[in-house]
């Protein structure tokens, strides 16, 4: 079993643009009885309200939405290239229809009640501190609305990063 160690988020030297935009991430929430995950390529990291935070965006029709809504913690996890096909499955198949964690063969682990996977190489454990639906009346650039042809606006979650763990 791989070992994970806690690290200070300020010690990270990474590009959120390539980490999230190119490598993708899994957003995972739930508990030891039931959890779900989804692939995401939108999000961000920063400082807000004097806290290190991560921003995650989830459409309300996604099954993972229910898990993030109903739990205090969620994880954002990142993977080596060898897991790209597994992340594709997690982004195209609903956990309502199949147990996609079982399908991809990932091993769930838990930290602060937040599920993540043994196969990850970097994990952010986040505690929800704010959630708000995207309001299209706030779009200054009207071309953004083309991402919402079904008016299924994401809910943005701001999560305080309470722990960062890295595989060693």
């Amino acid at each position: 079993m791989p070992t994970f160690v806690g690290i200070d988020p300020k010690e990270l030297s990474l590009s959120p643009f390539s980490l999230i935009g190119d490598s993708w991430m899994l957003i995972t929430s739930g508990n030891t009885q039931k959890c779900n995950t989804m692939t995401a390529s939108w999000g961000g990291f920063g400082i807000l309200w004097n806290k290190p935070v991560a921003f995650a965006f989830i459409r309300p029709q996604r099954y993972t939405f229910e898990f993030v809504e109903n739990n205090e913690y969620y994880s954002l996890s990142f993977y080596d290239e060898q897991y790209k096909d597994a992340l594709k499955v997690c982004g195209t198949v609903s956990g309502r229809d199949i147990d996609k964690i079982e399908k991809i063969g990932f091993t769930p682990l838990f930290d602060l009640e937040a599920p993540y996977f043994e196969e990850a190489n970097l994990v952010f454990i986040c505690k929800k501190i704010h959630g708000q639906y995207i309001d299209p009346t706030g779009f200054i650039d009207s071309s953004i609305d083309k991402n919402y042809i079904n008016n299924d606006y994401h809910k943005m979650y701001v999560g305080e990063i309470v722990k960062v763990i890295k595989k060693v």
Side-chain angles (χ1 to χ4, degrees):
M1 182 168 179
T3 303
F4 287 87
V5 296
I7 58 174
D8 184 330
K10 292 179 181 178
E11 293 177 12
L12 291 170
S13 59
L14 52 84
S15 165
F17 300 100
S18 61
L19 190 66
I20 297 170
D22 298 332
S23 298
W24 308 340
M25 65 182 167
L26 289 181
I27 301 173
T28 311
S29 189
N31 56 45
T32 55
Q33 289 76 45
K34 190 161 179 75
C35 64
N36 198 63
T37 191
M38 63 176 267
T39 303
S41 61
W42 291 3
F45 297 102
I47 302 295
L48 183 64
W49 304 310
N50 301 310
K51 299 174 183 283
V53 297
F55 303 95
F57 297 82
I58 305 175
R59 292 182 196 264
Q61 69 266 34
R62 295 296 300 261
Y63 189 45
T64 304
F65 179 85
E66 298 172 28
F67 289 85
V68 174
E69 277 290 294
N70 294 315
N71 289 279
E72 186 176 9
Y73 293 92
Y74 63 91
S75 70
L76 305 177
S77 53
F78 298 88
Y79 300 81
D80 292 331
E81 185 68 26
Q82 73 189 65
Y83 296 111
K84 197 74 162 187
D85 287 341
L87 272 64
K88 284 180 186 175
V89 169
C90 292
T92 57
V93 177
S94 175
R96 284 186 189 98
D97 301 328
I98 65 162
D99 183 341
K100 53 185 165 177
I101 297 168
E102 181 180 302
K103 180 175 178 62
I104 62 172
F106 276 16
T107 305
L109 302 172
F110 291 84
D111 195 310
L112 297 173
E113 300 178 30
Y116 66 99
F117 302 104
E118 182 178 296
E119 292 74 12
N121 59 30
L122 181 64
V123 180
F124 294 81
I125 305 295
C126 301
K127 180 180 180 182
K128 288 187 311 186
I129 58 173
H130 182 72
Q132 182 173 348
Y133 284 98
I134 300 296
D135 179 356
T137 63
F139 293 156
I140 295 169
D141 177 349
S142 61
S143 72
I144 294 170
D145 208 38
K146 71 181 179 202
N147 293 287
Y148 299 100
I149 58 173
N150 296 319
N151 296 319
D152 56 344
Y153 298 98
H154 288 88
K155 186 168 186 179
M156 177 189 66
Y157 294 94
V158 179
E160 178 182 4
I161 299 170
V162 294
K163 193 171 197 180
V164 181
I165 52 178
K166 185 175 184 176
K167 187 180 287 177
V168 292

